[in-house]
Amino acid sequence: MAVIENSKLTVVGAGAVGSSTAYAALIRGSARHVVLYDIATEKAEAEVLDLAHGTPFTGSSDISGGSDISAVEGSHVVVITAGAKQNPGQTRIELAGVNARILKSMLPKLLEVAPNAVYVIVTNPCDVLTVLAQEDTGLPPERLFASGTLLDTSRLRWKLAERAGVSSSSVHAYIVGEHGDTEFPLWSAATIGTVPILDWETPGHPRMTQQELDQIAIDVRDAAYKVIQGKGATNYAIGLSGARIVEALLRAENAVLPVSTVLDGQYGISGVALSLPSIVGNGGVRTVLDTPMDDGELASLHHSAETLRQSLATLGI
Ligand SMILES: NC(=O)c1ccc[n+]([C@@H]2O[C@H](COP(=O)([O-])OP(=O)(O)OC[C@H]3O[C@@H](n4cnc5c(N)ncnc54)[C@H](O)[C@@H]3O)[C@@H](O)[C@H]2O)c1
């Protein structure tokens, strides 16, 4: 796909997630200019150099950056990955206090140089931080949202594709709610091709049962803990997820992606950010879709919202 001329992406945070996001964006040609910004000068400059050395093998995208905030100037999209990450066994919510402080100090400086950008929050707990950032900046919810359960949805589609023996692009299933322990799949609307998930027949295998699907949902929910236990961070799949959101924005795709926006009455929920299938295109989240849910799914959505509301309350928001 052609790189949009003059499009500019800034990735804030040159750690495992930020540098992987920049790498994915360069390889996929998500934006013409990619900037990697971090307060840690040496680290940021080293990552930029290493990425730049590979650009003769990528398309026409270029990379620059460092610790000078002026590099961010004029960005169309800013993806925020800066902040503390989970230690093995730690939940995302436990990062809230420290990352809220980092975000609060960073946002005014970013907005000064990139006042018209769309802001995508990846730093965890991304749903909680989105509410905080939205209140702090006053940006409309469509222009400031979190990557939310796009990564979890990708994990789910990969697992179902493996089980069903089909391409993951033929698996139509979503994880919604909190990007965290209360997230859940919308099984009632899940299909492979056009076949409802429980009716799918894989040659040589029994049909999937609800019990098997429940276990898949648990594995997806706990996937990050397993990866962090083994290698200290999750970075490649979130890097690709971030690049995918950037493409939907800069190419005005109107793609349906599960991202997290501050809700305003959808399903009776307000003032909390959580993920629902949404149309992402020019300028941000254009519509949060009114996706049909069964009673169990609605109850899970409200449970997720309540959990997030409690986390916000402990932060005094
Ligand atoms: N939403 C998701 O799906 C998802 C997935 C994976 C990781 N994450 C989150 O992404 C975040 C980053 O993870 P990581 O593994 O890259 O961590 P990391 O420790 O490798 O990198 C974090 C970087 O942020 C930088 N930083 C800190 N304060 C800054 C500031 N004020 N301005 C600019 N940069 C600053 C640090 O210098 C560091 O380089 C974590 O909060 C992690 O939980 C989110």
Side-chain angles (χ1 to χ4, degrees), residues 136-166:
D136 253 36
T137 61
L139 286 178
E142 57 269 26
R143 263 187 61 204
L144 189 153
F145 60 96
S147 56
T149 56
L150 181 60
L151 170 61
D152 315 271
T153 294
S154 164
R155 288 173 174 149
L156 177 72
R157 290 183 185 179
W158 169 75
K159 265 191 112 55
L160 290 172
E162 291 281 298
R163 168 65 172 84
V166 298

PDB file of all heavy atoms in Angstrom, residues 136-166:
ATOM      1  N   ASP A 136      -7.704  15.966  31.042  1.00  0.00           N
ATOM      2  CA  ASP A 136      -6.612  16.940  31.156  1.00  0.00           C
ATOM      3  C   ASP A 136      -6.492  17.830  29.940  1.00  0.00           C
ATOM      4  O   ASP A 136      -6.220  19.020  30.064  1.00  0.00           O
ATOM      5  CB  ASP A 136      -5.288  16.176  31.323  1.00  0.00           C
ATOM      6  CG  ASP A 136      -4.772  16.284  32.728  1.00  0.00           C
ATOM      7  OD1 ASP A 136      -5.616  16.297  33.642  1.00  0.00           O
ATOM      8  OD2 ASP A 136      -3.538  16.353  32.899  1.00  0.00           O
ATOM      9  N   THR A 137      -6.661  17.240  28.764  1.00  0.00           N
ATOM     10  CA  THR A 137      -6.409  17.989  27.527  1.00  0.00           C
ATOM     11  C   THR A 137      -7.672  18.627  26.974  1.00  0.00           C
ATOM     12  O   THR A 137      -7.592  19.581  26.200  1.00  0.00           O
ATOM     13  CB  THR A 137      -5.854  17.061  26.433  1.00  0.00           C
ATOM     14  OG1 THR A 137      -6.843  16.036  26.170  1.00  0.00           O
ATOM     15  CG2 THR A 137      -4.545  16.418  26.840  1.00  0.00           C
ATOM     16  N   GLY A 138      -8.835  18.063  27.316  1.00  0.00           N
ATOM     17  CA  GLY A 138     -10.075  18.555  26.732  1.00  0.00           C
ATOM     18  C   GLY A 138     -10.239  18.166  25.269  1.00  0.00           C
ATOM     19  O   GLY A 138     -11.156  18.643  24.593  1.00  0.00           O
ATOM     20  N   LEU A 139      -9.364  17.306  24.776  1.00  0.00           N
ATOM     21  CA  LEU A 139      -9.507  16.861  23.383  1.00  0.00           C
ATOM     22  C   LEU A 139     -10.786  16.048  23.243  1.00  0.00           C
ATOM     23  O   LEU A 139     -11.168  15.316  24.163  1.00  0.00           O
ATOM     24  CB  LEU A 139      -8.316  15.975  22.972  1.00  0.00           C
ATOM     25  CG  LEU A 139      -6.981  16.671  22.714  1.00  0.00           C
ATOM     26  CD1 LEU A 139      -5.912  15.630  22.379  1.00  0.00           C
ATOM     27  CD2 LEU A 139      -7.096  17.679  21.584  1.00  0.00           C
ATOM     28  N   PRO A 140     -11.458  16.128  22.104  1.00  0.00           N
ATOM     29  CA  PRO A 140     -12.654  15.306  21.936  1.00  0.00           C
ATOM     30  C   PRO A 140     -12.277  13.828  21.949  1.00  0.00           C
ATOM     31  O   PRO A 140     -11.187  13.472  21.485  1.00  0.00           O
ATOM     32  CB  PRO A 140     -13.188  15.729  20.565  1.00  0.00           C
ATOM     33  CG  PRO A 140     -12.077  16.453  19.891  1.00  0.00           C
ATOM     34  CD  PRO A 140     -11.154  16.961  20.943  1.00  0.00           C
ATOM     35  N   PRO A 141     -13.140  12.964  22.499  1.00  0.00           N
ATOM     36  CA  PRO A 141     -12.793  11.540  22.630  1.00  0.00           C
ATOM     37  C   PRO A 141     -12.358  10.908  21.305  1.00  0.00           C
ATOM     38  O   PRO A 141     -11.527  10.015  21.296  1.00  0.00           O
ATOM     39  CB  PRO A 141     -14.089  10.897  23.127  1.00  0.00           C
ATOM     40  CG  PRO A 141     -14.844  12.005  23.763  1.00  0.00           C
ATOM     41  CD  PRO A 141     -14.441  13.275  23.079  1.00  0.00           C
ATOM     42  N   GLU A 142     -12.895  11.408  20.188  1.00  0.00           N
ATOM     43  CA  GLU A 142     -12.513  10.784  18.919  1.00  0.00           C
ATOM     44  C   GLU A 142     -11.056  11.035  18.557  1.00  0.00           C
ATOM     45  O   GLU A 142     -10.471  10.300  17.788  1.00  0.00           O
ATOM     46  CB  GLU A 142     -13.443  11.227  17.774  1.00  0.00           C
ATOM     47  CG  GLU A 142     -13.534  12.715  17.523  1.00  0.00           C
ATOM     48  CD  GLU A 142     -14.656  13.379  18.323  1.00  0.00           C
ATOM     49  OE1 GLU A 142     -15.037  12.853  19.395  1.00  0.00           O
ATOM     50  OE2 GLU A 142     -15.147  14.433  17.873  1.00  0.00           O
ATOM     51  N   ARG A 143     -10.462  12.097  19.139  1.00  0.00           N
ATOM     52  CA  ARG A 143      -9.069  12.420  18.799  1.00  0.00           C
ATOM     53  C   ARG A 143      -8.073  11.918  19.833  1.00  0.00           C
ATOM     54  O   ARG A 143      -6.862  12.125  19.703  1.00  0.00           O
ATOM     55  CB  ARG A 143      -8.912  13.934  18.643  1.00  0.00           C
ATOM     56  CG  ARG A 143      -8.997  14.373  17.190  1.00  0.00           C
ATOM     57  CD  ARG A 143      -8.681  15.836  17.069  1.00  0.00           C
ATOM     58  NE  ARG A 143      -7.339  16.150  17.519  1.00  0.00           N
ATOM     59  CZ  ARG A 143      -6.960  17.361  17.944  1.00  0.00           C
ATOM     60  NH1 ARG A 143      -7.817  18.339  17.991  1.00  0.00           N
ATOM     61  NH2 ARG A 143      -5.722  17.569  18.320  1.00  0.00           N
ATOM     62  N   LEU A 144      -8.570  11.284  20.884  1.00  0.00           N
ATOM     63  CA  LEU A 144      -7.664  10.743  21.896  1.00  0.00           C
ATOM     64  C   LEU A 144      -8.260   9.424  22.379  1.00  0.00           C
ATOM     65  O   LEU A 144      -9.301   9.413  23.030  1.00  0.00           O
ATOM     66  CB  LEU A 144      -7.517  11.739  23.044  1.00  0.00           C
ATOM     67  CG  LEU A 144      -6.439  11.419  24.066  1.00  0.00           C
ATOM     68  CD1 LEU A 144      -5.930  12.677  24.721  1.00  0.00           C
ATOM     69  CD2 LEU A 144      -6.931  10.447  25.119  1.00  0.00           C
ATOM     70  N   PHE A 145      -7.646   8.342  22.015  1.00  0.00           N
ATOM     71  CA  PHE A 145      -8.201   7.036  22.379  1.00  0.00           C
ATOM     72  C   PHE A 145      -7.059   6.058  22.610  1.00  0.00           C
ATOM     73  O   PHE A 145      -5.891   6.379  22.343  1.00  0.00           O
ATOM     74  CB  PHE A 145      -9.179   6.537  21.305  1.00  0.00           C
ATOM     75  CG  PHE A 145      -8.577   6.372  19.934  1.00  0.00           C
ATOM     76  CD1 PHE A 145      -8.111   5.146  19.510  1.00  0.00           C
ATOM     77  CD2 PHE A 145      -8.481   7.456  19.063  1.00  0.00           C
ATOM     78  CE1 PHE A 145      -7.558   4.987  18.244  1.00  0.00           C
ATOM     79  CE2 PHE A 145      -7.931   7.308  17.794  1.00  0.00           C
ATOM     80  CZ  PHE A 145      -7.470   6.072  17.387  1.00  0.00           C
ATOM     81  N   ALA A 146      -7.387   4.867  23.095  1.00  0.00           N
ATOM     82  CA  ALA A 146      -6.354   3.869  23.395  1.00  0.00           C
ATOM     83  C   ALA A 146      -6.436   2.705  22.417  1.00  0.00           C
ATOM     84  O   ALA A 146      -7.504   2.414  21.858  1.00  0.00           O
ATOM     85  CB  ALA A 146      -6.517   3.363  24.823  1.00  0.00           C
ATOM     86  N   SER A 147      -5.297   2.041  22.258  1.00  0.00           N
ATOM     87  CA  SER A 147      -5.255   0.843  21.385  1.00  0.00           C
ATOM     88  C   SER A 147      -6.142  -0.257  21.959  1.00  0.00           C
ATOM     89  O   SER A 147      -6.607  -1.134  21.223  1.00  0.00           O
ATOM     90  CB  SER A 147      -3.816   0.352  21.242  1.00  0.00           C
ATOM     91  OG  SER A 147      -3.253   0.094  22.516  1.00  0.00           O
ATOM     92  N   GLY A 148      -6.392  -0.200  23.271  1.00  0.00           N
ATOM     93  CA  GLY A 148      -7.393  -1.054  23.903  1.00  0.00           C
ATOM     94  C   GLY A 148      -7.214  -2.536  23.611  1.00  0.00           C
ATOM     95  O   GLY A 148      -6.118  -3.095  23.767  1.00  0.00           O
ATOM     96  N   THR A 149      -8.303  -3.166  23.163  1.00  0.00           N
ATOM     97  CA  THR A 149      -8.279  -4.621  22.973  1.00  0.00           C
ATOM     98  C   THR A 149      -7.962  -5.026  21.525  1.00  0.00           C
ATOM     99  O   THR A 149      -8.217  -6.157  21.142  1.00  0.00           O
ATOM    100  CB  THR A 149      -9.617  -5.250  23.403  1.00  0.00           C
ATOM    101  OG1 THR A 149     -10.676  -4.607  22.658  1.00  0.00           O
ATOM    102  CG2 THR A 149      -9.866  -5.115  24.886  1.00  0.00           C
ATOM    103  N   LEU A 150      -7.382  -4.102  20.750  1.00  0.00           N
ATOM    104  CA  LEU A 150      -6.965  -4.516  19.396  1.00  0.00           C
ATOM    105  C   LEU A 150      -5.933  -5.632  19.484  1.00  0.00           C
ATOM    106  O   LEU A 150      -5.984  -6.619  18.734  1.00  0.00           O
ATOM    107  CB  LEU A 150      -6.405  -3.315  18.621  1.00  0.00           C
ATOM    108  CG  LEU A 150      -5.965  -3.641  17.187  1.00  0.00           C
ATOM    109  CD1 LEU A 150      -7.127  -4.159  16.354  1.00  0.00           C
ATOM    110  CD2 LEU A 150      -5.341  -2.425  16.518  1.00  0.00           C
ATOM    111  N   LEU A 151      -4.980  -5.491  20.404  1.00  0.00           N
ATOM    112  CA  LEU A 151      -3.954  -6.532  20.579  1.00  0.00           C
ATOM    113  C   LEU A 151      -4.588  -7.847  21.036  1.00  0.00           C
ATOM    114  O   LEU A 151      -4.268  -8.920  20.520  1.00  0.00           O
ATOM    115  CB  LEU A 151      -2.924  -6.040  21.611  1.00  0.00           C
ATOM    116  CG  LEU A 151      -1.914  -7.066  22.100  1.00  0.00           C
ATOM    117  CD1 LEU A 151      -1.062  -7.603  20.962  1.00  0.00           C
ATOM    118  CD2 LEU A 151      -1.008  -6.456  23.176  1.00  0.00           C
ATOM    119  N   ASP A 152      -5.503  -7.766  21.983  1.00  0.00           N
ATOM    120  CA  ASP A 152      -6.147  -8.988  22.503  1.00  0.00           C
ATOM    121  C   ASP A 152      -6.988  -9.650  21.406  1.00  0.00           C
ATOM    122  O   ASP A 152      -7.055 -10.877  21.308  1.00  0.00           O
ATOM    123  CB  ASP A 152      -7.023  -8.625  23.710  1.00  0.00           C
ATOM    124  CG  ASP A 152      -6.292  -7.695  24.654  1.00  0.00           C
ATOM    125  OD1 ASP A 152      -5.597  -8.181  25.551  1.00  0.00           O
ATOM    126  OD2 ASP A 152      -6.372  -6.461  24.459  1.00  0.00           O
ATOM    127  N   THR A 153      -7.612  -8.827  20.586  1.00  0.00           N
ATOM    128  CA  THR A 153      -8.415  -9.349  19.473  1.00  0.00           C
ATOM    129  C   THR A 153      -7.509 -10.068  18.474  1.00  0.00           C
ATOM    130  O   THR A 153      -7.867 -11.127  17.929  1.00  0.00           O
ATOM    131  CB  THR A 153      -9.175  -8.176  18.804  1.00  0.00           C
ATOM    132  OG1 THR A 153     -10.124  -7.673  19.762  1.00  0.00           O
ATOM    133  CG2 THR A 153      -9.897  -8.604  17.547  1.00  0.00           C
ATOM    134  N   SER A 154      -6.348  -9.508  18.254  1.00  0.00           N
ATOM    135  CA  SER A 154      -5.385 -10.131  17.347  1.00  0.00           C
ATOM    136  C   SER A 154      -4.933 -11.489  17.909  1.00  0.00           C
ATOM    137  O   SER A 154      -4.825 -12.484  17.179  1.00  0.00           O
ATOM    138  CB  SER A 154      -4.223  -9.149  17.176  1.00  0.00           C
ATOM    139  OG  SER A 154      -3.126  -9.764  16.649  1.00  0.00           O
ATOM    140  N   ARG A 155      -4.703 -11.515  19.215  1.00  0.00           N
ATOM    141  CA  ARG A 155      -4.328 -12.796  19.857  1.00  0.00           C
ATOM    142  C   ARG A 155      -5.452 -13.822  19.705  1.00  0.00           C
ATOM    143  O   ARG A 155      -5.207 -15.002  19.437  1.00  0.00           O
ATOM    144  CB  ARG A 155      -4.050 -12.564  21.353  1.00  0.00           C
ATOM    145  CG  ARG A 155      -2.762 -11.813  21.614  1.00  0.00           C
ATOM    146  CD  ARG A 155      -2.601 -11.438  23.087  1.00  0.00           C
ATOM    147  NE  ARG A 155      -1.285 -10.851  23.325  1.00  0.00           N
ATOM    148  CZ  ARG A 155      -1.017  -9.936  24.242  1.00  0.00           C
ATOM    149  NH1 ARG A 155      -1.979  -9.483  25.033  1.00  0.00           N
ATOM    150  NH2 ARG A 155       0.198  -9.455  24.383  1.00  0.00           N
ATOM    151  N   LEU A 156      -6.688 -13.368  19.889  1.00  0.00           N
ATOM    152  CA  LEU A 156      -7.839 -14.277  19.771  1.00  0.00           C
ATOM    153  C   LEU A 156      -7.950 -14.817  18.346  1.00  0.00           C
ATOM    154  O   LEU A 156      -8.137 -16.025  18.134  1.00  0.00           O
ATOM    155  CB  LEU A 156      -9.121 -13.519  20.134  1.00  0.00           C
ATOM    156  CG  LEU A 156     -10.410 -14.315  19.985  1.00  0.00           C
ATOM    157  CD1 LEU A 156     -10.524 -15.383  21.075  1.00  0.00           C
ATOM    158  CD2 LEU A 156     -11.644 -13.412  20.020  1.00  0.00           C
ATOM    159  N   ARG A 157      -7.834 -13.938  17.365  1.00  0.00           N
ATOM    160  CA  ARG A 157      -7.990 -14.368  15.966  1.00  0.00           C
ATOM    161  C   ARG A 157      -6.899 -15.348  15.573  1.00  0.00           C
ATOM    162  O   ARG A 157      -7.140 -16.300  14.843  1.00  0.00           O
ATOM    163  CB  ARG A 157      -7.995 -13.143  15.045  1.00  0.00           C
ATOM    164  CG  ARG A 157      -9.266 -12.337  15.221  1.00  0.00           C
ATOM    165  CD  ARG A 157      -9.328 -11.168  14.273  1.00  0.00           C
ATOM    166  NE  ARG A 157     -10.506 -10.362  14.579  1.00  0.00           N
ATOM    167  CZ  ARG A 157     -10.849  -9.260  13.949  1.00  0.00           C
ATOM    168  NH1 ARG A 157     -10.099  -8.811  12.956  1.00  0.00           N
ATOM    169  NH2 ARG A 157     -11.932  -8.597  14.291  1.00  0.00           N
ATOM    170  N   TRP A 158      -5.689 -15.116  16.059  1.00  0.00           N
ATOM    171  CA  TRP A 158      -4.588 -16.032  15.768  1.00  0.00           C
ATOM    172  C   TRP A 158      -4.892 -17.419  16.326  1.00  0.00           C
ATOM    173  O   TRP A 158      -4.747 -18.432  15.640  1.00  0.00           O
ATOM    174  CB  TRP A 158      -3.276 -15.493  16.351  1.00  0.00           C
ATOM    175  CG  TRP A 158      -2.177 -16.514  16.305  1.00  0.00           C
ATOM    176  CD1 TRP A 158      -1.472 -16.920  15.206  1.00  0.00           C
ATOM    177  CD2 TRP A 158      -1.698 -17.296  17.404  1.00  0.00           C
ATOM    178  NE1 TRP A 158      -0.581 -17.902  15.559  1.00  0.00           N
ATOM    179  CE2 TRP A 158      -0.698 -18.146  16.892  1.00  0.00           C
ATOM    180  CE3 TRP A 158      -2.011 -17.358  18.759  1.00  0.00           C
ATOM    181  CZ2 TRP A 158      -0.009 -19.058  17.704  1.00  0.00           C
ATOM    182  CZ3 TRP A 158      -1.328 -18.257  19.564  1.00  0.00           C
ATOM    183  CH2 TRP A 158      -0.340 -19.094  19.031  1.00  0.00           C
ATOM    184  N   LYS A 159      -5.354 -17.465  17.576  1.00  0.00           N
ATOM    185  CA  LYS A 159      -5.625 -18.761  18.227  1.00  0.00           C
ATOM    186  C   LYS A 159      -6.762 -19.502  17.524  1.00  0.00           C
ATOM    187  O   LYS A 159      -6.688 -20.716  17.295  1.00  0.00           O
ATOM    188  CB  LYS A 159      -6.018 -18.537  19.702  1.00  0.00           C
ATOM    189  CG  LYS A 159      -4.842 -18.671  20.651  1.00  0.00           C
ATOM    190  CD  LYS A 159      -5.274 -18.704  22.094  1.00  0.00           C
ATOM    191  CE  LYS A 159      -5.057 -20.040  22.779  1.00  0.00           C
ATOM    192  NZ  LYS A 159      -3.731 -20.590  22.749  1.00  0.00           N
ATOM    193  N   LEU A 160      -7.832 -18.768  17.182  1.00  0.00           N
ATOM    194  CA  LEU A 160      -8.971 -19.412  16.517  1.00  0.00           C
ATOM    195  C   LEU A 160      -8.588 -19.878  15.119  1.00  0.00           C
ATOM    196  O   LEU A 160      -9.022 -20.946  14.658  1.00  0.00           O
ATOM    197  CB  LEU A 160     -10.163 -18.442  16.452  1.00  0.00           C
ATOM    198  CG  LEU A 160     -10.833 -18.127  17.792  1.00  0.00           C
ATOM    199  CD1 LEU A 160     -11.869 -17.011  17.618  1.00  0.00           C
ATOM    200  CD2 LEU A 160     -11.502 -19.373  18.386  1.00  0.00           C
ATOM    201  N   ALA A 161      -7.758 -19.080  14.441  1.00  0.00           N
ATOM    202  CA  ALA A 161      -7.322 -19.453  13.088  1.00  0.00           C
ATOM    203  C   ALA A 161      -6.511 -20.746  13.129  1.00  0.00           C
ATOM    204  O   ALA A 161      -6.680 -21.635  12.290  1.00  0.00           O
ATOM    205  CB  ALA A 161      -6.501 -18.315  12.484  1.00  0.00           C
ATOM    206  N   GLU A 162      -5.632 -20.855  14.138  1.00  0.00           N
ATOM    207  CA  GLU A 162      -4.823 -22.072  14.299  1.00  0.00           C
ATOM    208  C   GLU A 162      -5.729 -23.279  14.520  1.00  0.00           C
ATOM    209  O   GLU A 162      -5.544 -24.342  13.941  1.00  0.00           O
ATOM    210  CB  GLU A 162      -3.898 -21.928  15.523  1.00  0.00           C
ATOM    211  CG  GLU A 162      -2.798 -20.927  15.362  1.00  0.00           C
ATOM    212  CD  GLU A 162      -1.639 -21.473  14.550  1.00  0.00           C
ATOM    213  OE1 GLU A 162      -1.020 -22.452  14.997  1.00  0.00           O
ATOM    214  OE2 GLU A 162      -1.370 -20.928  13.456  1.00  0.00           O
ATOM    215  N   ARG A 163      -6.720 -23.098  15.374  1.00  0.00           N
ATOM    216  CA  ARG A 163      -7.625 -24.198  15.739  1.00  0.00           C
ATOM    217  C   ARG A 163      -8.498 -24.618  14.563  1.00  0.00           C
ATOM    218  O   ARG A 163      -8.764 -25.792  14.338  1.00  0.00           O
ATOM    219  CB  ARG A 163      -8.487 -23.762  16.932  1.00  0.00           C
ATOM    220  CG  ARG A 163      -9.658 -24.655  17.278  1.00  0.00           C
ATOM    221  CD  ARG A 163      -9.205 -26.030  17.742  1.00  0.00           C
ATOM    222  NE  ARG A 163     -10.332 -26.804  18.236  1.00  0.00           N
ATOM    223  CZ  ARG A 163     -11.158 -27.522  17.465  1.00  0.00           C
ATOM    224  NH1 ARG A 163     -10.986 -27.561  16.154  1.00  0.00           N
ATOM    225  NH2 ARG A 163     -12.147 -28.209  18.021  1.00  0.00           N
ATOM    226  N   ALA A 164      -8.947 -23.600  13.782  1.00  0.00           N
ATOM    227  CA  ALA A 164      -9.899 -23.886  12.695  1.00  0.00           C
ATOM    228  C   ALA A 164      -9.202 -24.205  11.376  1.00  0.00           C
ATOM    229  O   ALA A 164      -9.853 -24.651  10.430  1.00  0.00           O
ATOM    230  CB  ALA A 164     -10.829 -22.680  12.521  1.00  0.00           C
ATOM    231  N   GLY A 165      -7.889 -23.945  11.301  1.00  0.00           N
ATOM    232  CA  GLY A 165      -7.172 -24.231  10.066  1.00  0.00           C
ATOM    233  C   GLY A 165      -7.512 -23.263   8.944  1.00  0.00           C
ATOM    234  O   GLY A 165      -7.566 -23.641   7.768  1.00  0.00           O
ATOM    235  N   VAL A 166      -7.769 -22.004   9.303  1.00  0.00           N
ATOM    236  CA  VAL A 166      -8.066 -20.974   8.291  1.00  0.00           C
ATOM    237  C   VAL A 166      -7.172 -19.755   8.529  1.00  0.00           C
ATOM    238  O   VAL A 166      -6.531 -19.642   9.574  1.00  0.00           O
ATOM    239  CB  VAL A 166      -9.551 -20.511   8.342  1.00  0.00           C
ATOM    240  CG1 VAL A 166     -10.502 -21.656   8.043  1.00  0.00           C
ATOM    241  CG2 VAL A 166      -9.883 -19.864   9.687  1.00  0.00           C
TER     242      VAL A 166
END
